[in-house]
Amino acid sequence: MAKLITGGTGYIGAELAHILADRGEEVVLFDININHYRIEDIESKVKIVRGDLGNFSEVFNVVKDNKITEIYHIGSMLTYMSELNPQASFHSNVIGSYNVLEAARLFNVEKMMFTSTLGTFGLQMDDMLTDITMQRPLSIYGCGKLYIEGLGRYYNTKYGLDFRSIRYAHMIGPNVHTPGHWAPPMIEDAILGKPNDCIYGTPESTISMIYVSDAARAADMLLQAPRDNIKMLNYNVSGIPAVVSAKEVETILVKRFPEIRVIYKSDPNRQRRRGGYSNWKVFDDSYARKEWGWKPQYTTVESIIDIFEKDMKERPGYYGLT
Ligand SMILES: NC(=O)c1ccc[n+]([C@@H]2O[C@H](COP(=O)([O-])OP(=O)(O)OC[C@H]3O[C@@H](n4cnc5c(N)ncnc54)[C@H](O)[C@@H]3O)[C@@H](O)[C@H]2O)c1
């Protein structure tokens, strides 16, 4: 009766591992690159399996050997690394997710959730991105995630697999130094009193934010929601309802930390490598709210900075900040 988290020692995976371990669940974390510092306080309560999603026997074995009943499929190469190596991204994110779907089908997994991305949108984005906006991704990462959204839907109708997925907005949290994300380093540097070199954004760049603990909570809420409620299957999930620009975040930070300095050094080549766009539109998550009761805890930039600061003080080890 164990639950599997792929990418279980990544940012969102480890946060989710804490939720499940604290609830007393039997949890298996599968990851190609184990980050022990994120799970050291729960390491005695979870099982860790090192493996590659792209290797079908490693995926099948972890599901079969541990009698997995529910899968949180969170492991993935992210945008920037995917653009640097599209073939590796295809292997990890597309073949890897197919392996997870096949394992779920063959070993009678009861239900599975998958983490997709707002990067499945791209070309000619509307002013508001909803669950029925046409998805035309520009990045290999977005193309791969969109394919798995569709493949999951196919497994649902063809094989009856209880599949659901979330498209996250930009995930924010301490030490989330994901290449391409300007907000976490800007907030973290302000709290640490350091100047911030904003290499991934211009003052006008906009993003839609979700705090890491909200992202993990959403994954759990979605998978635990009654199946009858799940109509849309693939859901946008956001934290702050509006988009925010780098300049707006800087202005809020300056009020709190008057000494800070943000130096914008955005490089167009870098922007292109991460999929080519930096002005995101409002990410509407009304279907998630309506169908399975999604409600973020952190809904303003100020509330995100508050929890960011608190987390950096209380859990520096968790974020690798010691
Ligand atoms: N970070 C964001 O802003 C964001 C936004 C939208 C969607 N997402 C999605 O959320 C999920 C979690 O993202 P995160 O921010 O926690 O990223 P992360 O990089 O911290 O975690 C991903 C984990 O997957 C593991 N992984 C990568 N390739 C693997 C492979 N081939 N086999 C096994 N494990 C592998 C990594 O080692 C890592 O621990 C991902 O699916 C990502 O696409 C993230």
Side-chain angles (χ1 to χ4, degrees):
M1 292 292 283
K3 299 187 175 171
L4 174 68
I5 307 177
T6 71
T9 70
Y11 291 112
I12 298 172
E15 190 75 29
L16 177 64
H18 280 77
I19 296 175
L20 301 193
D22 290 348
R23 206 158 66 203
E25 307 271 12
E26 198 182 325
V27 190
V28 180
L29 310 181
F30 180 89
D31 208 306
I32 197 167
N33 180 19
I34 312 289
N35 287 297
H36 286 280
Y37 67 81
R38 289 204 192 105
I39 48 159
E40 58 191 3
D41 56 328
I42 53 164
E43 226 168 313
S44 60
K45 297 188 197 162
V46 298
K47 178 171 175 183
I48 299 168
V49 176
R50 193 191 169 283
D52 181 359
L53 288 164
N55 182 322
F56 78 86
S57 53
E58 290 178 356
V59 174
F60 285 19
N61 284 343
V62 75
V63 172
K64 181 170 171 281
D65 295 349
N66 296 288
K67 301 186 172 47
I68 297 296
T69 53
E70 297 181 15
I71 301 178
Y72 298 84
H73 177 33
I74 291 179
S76 169
M77 278 175 67
L78 303 190
T79 320
Y80 191 82
M81 296 313 286
S82 291
E83 289 307 310
L84 291 181
N85 192 340
Q87 290 73 25
S89 175
F90 185 83
H91 194 69
S92 163
N93 294 3
V94 179
I95 308 283
S97 298
Y98 169 72
N99 289 340
V100 176
L101 282 163
E102 273 294 273
R105 177 178 77 84
L106 293 169
F107 301 111
N108 301 315
V109 168
E110 287 165 14
K111 50 186 173 175
M112 154 176 182
M113 68 84 52
F114 165 65
T115 46
S116 186
T117 172
L118 83 172
T120 54
F121 298 100
L123 201 62
Q124 293 163 11
M125 283 192 284
D126 294 342
D127 284 341
M128 182 177 282
L129 304 174
T130 75
D131 287 329
I132 52 173
T133 301
M134 187 183 285
Q135 293 160 276
R136 283 170 292 191
L138 295 169
S139 63
I140 182 74
Y141 171 73
C143 291
K145 292 282 187 180
L146 181 55
Y147 178 67
I148 300 304
E149 284 186 22
L151 196 62
R153 184 180 292 281
Y154 178 79
Y155 270 62
N156 187 305
T157 45
K158 174 88 177 169
Y159 303 116
L161 175 67
D162 184 352
F163 172 92
R164 302 117 188 249
S165 90
I166 281 181
R167 281 177 221 110
Y168 284 126
H170 294 95
M171 195 270 288
I172 306 289
N175 213 9
V176 176
H177 291 183
T178 311
H181 287 211
W182 51 262
M186 189 188 286
I187 299 172
E188 194 180 305
D189 284 347
I191 295 169
L192 294 172
K194 293 192 329 198
N196 174 252
D197 286 339
C198 186
I199 53 176
Y200 296 115
T202 66
E204 296 76 34
S205 300
T206 50
I207 54 169
S208 183
M209 295 186 184
I210 181 166
Y211 195 69
V212 58
S213 54
D214 269 342
R217 236 171 22 86
D220 192 37
M221 278 182 73
L222 172 62
L223 198 62
Q224 298 316 320
R227 189 171 190 178
D228 285 350
N229 293 17
I230 304 298
K231 310 272 192 267
M232 182 56 73
L233 242 71
N234 300 308
Y235 299 90
N236 287 353
V237 163
S238 191
I240 299 181
V243 286
V244 280
S245 69
K247 192 69 201 170
E248 284 168 328
V249 176
E250 182 191 347
T251 305
I252 292 168
L253 287 168
V254 167
K255 279 194 201 136
R256 199 177 290 210
F257 310 99
E259 305 298 309
I260 69 154
R261 240 163 27 99
V262 177
I263 306 123
Y264 291 94
K265 294 184 173 173
S266 180
D267 164 2
N269 289 328
R270 215 180 254 130
Q271 297 280 35
R272 255 197 304 281
R273 281 204 298 274
R274 58 180 278 235
Y277 31 76
S278 60
N279 287 91
W280 289 94
K281 305 300 172 68
V282 173
F283 201 54
D284 172 72
D285 58 7
S286 49
Y287 281 92
R289 288 170 186 263
K290 198 170 75 196
E291 293 188 12
W292 46 275
W294 169 238
K295 197 162 181 259
Q297 234 175 317
Y298 305 104
T299 54
T300 61
V301 178
E302 287 82 354
S303 67
I304 284 189
I305 297 170
D306 287 344
I307 183 68
F308 216 104
E309 202 172 358
K310 184 167 176 284
D311 261 1
M312 278 173 69
K313 279 196 193 119
E314 287 178 1
R315 303 195 293 171
Y318 177 85
Y319 294 108
L321 293 168
T322 44

